[in-house]
Amino acid sequence: MSETRRKLTTIFCADVQDYTRLMGADEEGTLATLKRCREAMGHLIESHGGRVVNTWGDGLIAEFPSVVEAVRAAVDTQNELAGFNARRPSDGRMLFRIGINLGDVIVDGGDIYGDGVNIAARLQASAAPGGIVISSTVYDQVRNKVAVGFEFLGPLTVKNVDEGVPSYAVKIGDGGEEAQPAERPTTVRPQPAAPVTAEARPAAGYGRRLFSVLGVIAAVLVGINLLTWNGVFWARFPLLALIVIAALAWNRDQARFDRRMVTLAITALGIIGINVLTWSGTFWAVWPILGIAAMIGLRWAMRR
């Protein structure tokens, strides 16, 4: 009987986009192309110190002792397959999606199982054709060690995992953008698959536009208040609301801190602002702030 044990490893999961359609159009040609692509992928995996664990249908699972080498293998794979697909007709291109996760797995003989593998498969399913998506555990290890860009996509929902798994798209190709292998000049941004519960991170330009709009609204409100001055600075309340909206918009885009905890902190600061703007000699905000602080403390204590 084979020995069952656990270990920490980097899981590399790949499959083919529209494999069923390709098989329906040309079974023998698709199988020959799949074999050729898998051979190229297998050589690259081995050259980066990894091993192919299993293959099934159009899928492949590999593992790496090094997180950095796993990402480099994925980038090299997509770049090599891009050249291969560029010489093929558009309806016959074989585009792989790759997901990479660093996690604890169960080892049974030569196979690996567990949530670490399931997360890698879920990341792969969320990748664009010709794209790579990695978990936050991988991102933390490679962000300053691999010459590619990254884009935060948000948390993915994974079966048997209580909290969403933060994910990042690896941007490869010219200018740090992720290029679709089928057409190298064309850049695409991976979109989460339907089951993903959180939207992808908005572009930085969108955030700048929102802050600009909020700034203009604030200036107009202050201007109206001054031009209709009757001794009361009523614009302070809508200004506080705009500040809270801007803070929440920033929190939606940031990936450095726990978003829920930051949302609670912003809410607490907003309550303090209301208390200050309506000051009557009583700091009543201490009670809701105490409740929010308790919620933040519980979330911090229960985090994984």
Side-chain angles (χ1 to χ4, degrees):
M1 296 180 63
S2 60
E3 180 184 1
T4 299
R5 57 190 177 87
R6 305 192 73 98
K7 71 174 180 178
L8 184 68
T9 191
T10 308
I11 306 102
F12 173 113
C13 187
D15 82 346
V16 179
Q17 173 76 8
D18 289 337
Y19 181 70
T20 302
R21 177 186 63 81
L22 293 171
M23 286 292 288
D26 181 7
E27 285 187 351
E28 293 184 357
T30 297
L31 288 174
T33 301
L34 177 62
K35 181 178 180 181
R36 180 175 177 181
C37 290
R38 271 189 179 160
E39 288 177 351
M41 191 181 300
H43 290 316
L44 288 170
I45 289 171
E46 291 179 2
S47 70
H48 285 277
R51 75 174 183 95
V52 176
V53 175
N54 203 349
T55 60
W56 72 98
D58 61 320
L60 177 147
I61 290 182
E63 66 166 339
F64 292 78
S66 167
V67 186
V68 172
E69 291 303 321
V71 174
R72 287 175 176 168
V75 172
D76 288 349
T77 293
Q78 295 295 30
N79 284 334
E80 180 159 332
L81 294 180
F84 170 73
N85 280 304
R87 300 187 295 270
R88 298 177 59 82
S90 58
D91 60 348
R93 291 167 177 165
M94 184 165 287
L95 306 177
F96 280 80
R97 301 174 299 187
I98 298 176
I100 304 176
N101 178 48
L102 171 64
D104 190 78
V105 300
I106 299 173
V107 182
D108 186 7
D111 290 331
I112 55 177
Y113 305 91
D115 288 341
V117 179
N118 295 337
I119 291 172
R122 185 66 186 87
L123 294 167
Q124 165 263 304
S126 73
I132 305 165
V133 174
I134 62 176
S135 65
S136 59
T137 55
V138 173
Y139 171 78
D140 290 341
Q141 299 296 320
V142 305
R143 58 182 176 180
N144 297 321
K145 300 174 183 176
V146 182
V148 294
F150 302 93
E151 180 179 4
F152 183 65
L153 298 180
L156 297 180
T157 300
V158 180
K159 185 178 180 181
N160 297 327
V161 177
D162 294 337
E163 296 184 0
V165 178
S167 60
Y168 295 79
V170 178
K171 298 191 290 184
I172 55 180
D174 296 337
E177 295 292 330
E178 179 174 356
Q180 183 175 352
E183 300 177 18
R184 297 302 295 275
T186 303
T187 59
V188 299
R189 295 185 182 273
Q191 298 297 324
V196 180
T197 58
E199 295 180 353
R201 182 182 182 181
Y206 172 80
R208 288 194 296 269
R209 288 195 297 271
L210 176 61
F211 294 143
S212 297
V213 170
L214 293 176
V216 170
I217 294 175
V220 170
L221 288 172
V222 172
I224 294 174
N225 196 163
L226 294 177
L227 292 175
T228 60
W229 184 257
N230 59 0
V232 178
F233 185 52
W234 52 261
R236 64 188 186 277
F237 294 106
L239 287 177
L240 176 61
L242 292 175
I243 291 172
V244 171
I245 292 173
L248 292 173
W250 166 82
N251 184 42
R252 182 184 60 182
D253 293 351
Q254 64 90 17
R256 186 172 183 179
F257 308 104
D258 185 299
R259 291 182 180 180
R260 293 182 183 177
M261 293 178 69
V262 173
T263 298
L264 291 172
I266 292 172
T267 302
L269 292 174
I271 293 173
I272 293 174
I274 294 173
N275 195 165
V276 171
L277 294 178
T278 60
W279 184 256
S280 60
T282 303
F283 186 50
W284 52 261
V286 66
W287 300 110
I289 290 173
L290 181 61
I292 292 174
M295 294 173 63
I296 293 176
L298 286 173
R299 180 166 180 80
W300 178 85
M302 296 175 65
R303 65 181 180 174
R304 289 179 174 269

